[in-house]
Structure formats: C-alpha cells, structure tokens
Amino acid sequence: DGGNHRYHVPLDLNLPQNGANNPKYRVDVHDNEEMFSFSVVRKDTETAIWNTSLAGFVFSKQFLQISTILPSRNIYGFGENRHKSFRHDMKQTWPMFSRDQAPGHDNANLYGVHPFYECVEDKNGNTHGVFLLNSNAQEYSFTDLPSLTYRTIGGILDFYVFMGPTPENVIQQYTSLIGRPVMPPYWSLGFQLCRYGYNHIDNIKLAVENTKKHNIPLDIQYADIDHMDERMDFTID
C-alpha cells in the first residue's frame, strides 16, 4: 500500500476456523457507475440487516464514514453515553471516545467505548448484532428513516455481524468473539460504599462507623481516585 498503513486494533479475537455450512445470511453486492453498495440479508425473512445503499462510503486518510438503512427502530447498545431510554433515540448523534468524564451532559464522552448494538428486526423477535472494531475517535448518528451512520477519524471499518436469531444468541455470539465476561470475586457482590471527596482517612472511618451505627448493610468500603497520587491508578497519595 505504498507505506500508508492503516491502524488495526491489536486485539486477539476468537474467530471461527471454518465458514458456516449453511449460513443464515447472504451478501448482495450492487456495483454501478454511480455508487458501490452491498447488503447483508437474513435468508429466511429476506430482511436486509445491513444495507449501505443509502450513502455509499467515505474512506480517506483521516475520515471514514459508512451508513446503513436499519430494518427497525428497535436499537439497543452502544456507549458509553447517558441515555434517557433503553431503546435508542433515532434523532441524535453521540460521540465515542474514552475521556474519563463523569455523566453530566447527554452527548458527553464518558469512561468507555462500546461500538456494538443489537437490533430487534421484527415482531417475531429476530435479532442481529453489529460490532465495529475501531478505537479511533468516532461518532454514530441515527435518523428517522431509520438509518445509522458511523464516522471515525482513522483505522479501518472492521465489522462483525451476529445473526442471532434471539437477543440472547446475539450476546452469546458477541462474547464468543471478544471474550466472556470475567466472573467477579464473591466479596464484590456485597454492599459497597464509595464517593469522591472523602479528603482524609478519618472521613472514611467516620463513614464506616455511621453506616454501621444506623444498621445499614456494608461489606466493602473504598475510596475514589482522589486518594491516589495525582489520580494515577495503582498509587497512593
């Protein structure tokens, strides 16, 4: 490529070794003089779960964009942003870039980036999921069509589509690719107390004493980043 290397996220994925003998989907490619596009279609319902005929692609050095027509407005997932409903609002643009910023504004970047969503396609509950493996600064926009547009300032458009067909199946397939959630230690499932701004060890002791005094269950007490050296993890101020 003439030395113009694109950044790939250095993440080991648990990819299947062989293709499916009887895939639940087909890929239709549309190539004409005006625009190249493709569709991923669920065979048994003929639902286009990914359809780029809306706007084609933009693939430049520092700006990538791809849009898809969605089969329904029942979209769940993405993050990390503050939302007013579990199902997505189809009239908004959200950023995705880890900033370690506390929730405050609806469109703010927060602590993590999760470019994955589920779509419940129809009244029978057929569901698919889509994961974009890209760690550059990015955003996603919805419209009432309904449609979805991704924009990112670098990397590649590395998509993974999970056919379900149930919401549970989609999550199983997604975590089989990226890795299963870690089993939490037993003690971490207890009643916890923490806040930012204790300021001194005596204030933490007082919080513990008052909690016990009022017979409030308490298994774990800890402090926020202000007890660390310049808020750096794995240090103590």
Side-chain angles (χ1 to χ4, degrees):
D1 59 1
N4 295 319
H5 299 294
R6 308 294 302 194
Y7 178 75
H8 291 236
V9 179
L11 180 65
D12 292 329
L13 299 175
N14 300 314
L15 295 169
Q17 299 300 312
N18 302 302
N21 293 325
N22 185 24
K24 298 179 180 179
Y25 66 93
R26 71 171 188 272
V27 177
D28 296 335
V29 177
H30 312 282
D31 190 4
N32 55 50
E33 295 181 358
E34 295 182 358
M35 184 177 67
F36 168 83
S37 66
F38 67 90
S39 302
V40 179
V41 179
R42 185 182 295 279
K43 285 182 177 179
D44 58 352
T45 62
E46 288 297 310
T47 300
I49 62 176
W50 185 264
N51 180 354
T52 68
S53 63
L54 178 65
F57 307 92
V58 177
F59 197 92
S60 59
K61 185 175 182 180
Q62 291 185 303
F63 182 77
L64 289 74
Q65 176 175 291
I66 187 171
S67 300
T68 180
I69 301 170
L70 298 166
S72 85
R73 290 176 170 79
N74 299 316
I75 304 295
Y76 307 88
F78 279 120
E80 187 175 59
N81 314 101
R82 189 178 71 170
H83 299 279
K84 295 180 181 179
S85 65
F86 188 49
R87 189 173 73 163
H88 266 281
D89 179 358
M90 303 304 289
K91 299 179 180 180
Q92 203 163 340
T93 296
W94 286 273
M96 287 191 287
F97 193 67
S98 296
R99 191 181 172 191
D100 193 16
Q101 176 175 274
H105 302 287
D106 289 344
N107 286 47
N109 293 296
L110 302 181
Y111 297 100
V113 173
H114 306 276
F116 167 79
Y117 72 87
E118 275 195 348
C119 176
V120 181
E121 304 158 20
D122 53 38
K123 63 182 181 181
N124 295 321
N126 285 302
T127 303
H128 70 272
V130 178
F131 169 50
L132 169 60
L133 182 59
N134 185 300
S135 63
N136 289 81
Q138 57 193 278
E139 67 181 17
Y140 59 103
S141 302
F142 291 110
T143 73
D144 261 342
L145 185 60
S147 71
L148 167 64
T149 296
Y150 292 90
R151 302 178 189 93
T152 180
I153 63 171
I156 62 174
L157 297 174
D158 191 9
F159 284 97
Y160 299 82
V161 180
F162 309 95
M163 297 300 298
T166 69
E168 294 84 356
N169 294 152
V170 171
I171 296 302
Q172 290 165 357
Q173 293 156 11
Y174 175 51
T175 57
S176 72
L177 176 74
I178 66 171
R180 305 295 188 191
V182 175
M183 182 67 72
Y186 184 73
W187 62 264
S188 72
L189 302 177
F191 294 98
Q192 307 184 22
L193 181 61
C194 175
R195 59 159 289 183
Y196 178 87
Y198 283 122
N199 298 328
H200 195 277
I201 188 67
D202 288 343
N203 291 329
I204 298 179
K205 292 179 180 178
L206 183 61
V208 173
E209 291 169 1
N210 284 337
T211 303
K212 291 182 177 180
K213 177 182 176 181
H214 294 282
N215 296 316
I216 299 173
L218 178 63
D219 298 301
I220 305 121
Q221 171 69 57
Y222 56 99
D224 209 321
I225 58 174
D226 50 336
H227 85 282
M228 303 174 188
D229 182 14
E230 298 184 352
R231 302 183 180 182
M232 294 186 294
D233 286 348
F234 311 113
T235 65
I236 297 176
D237 187 334

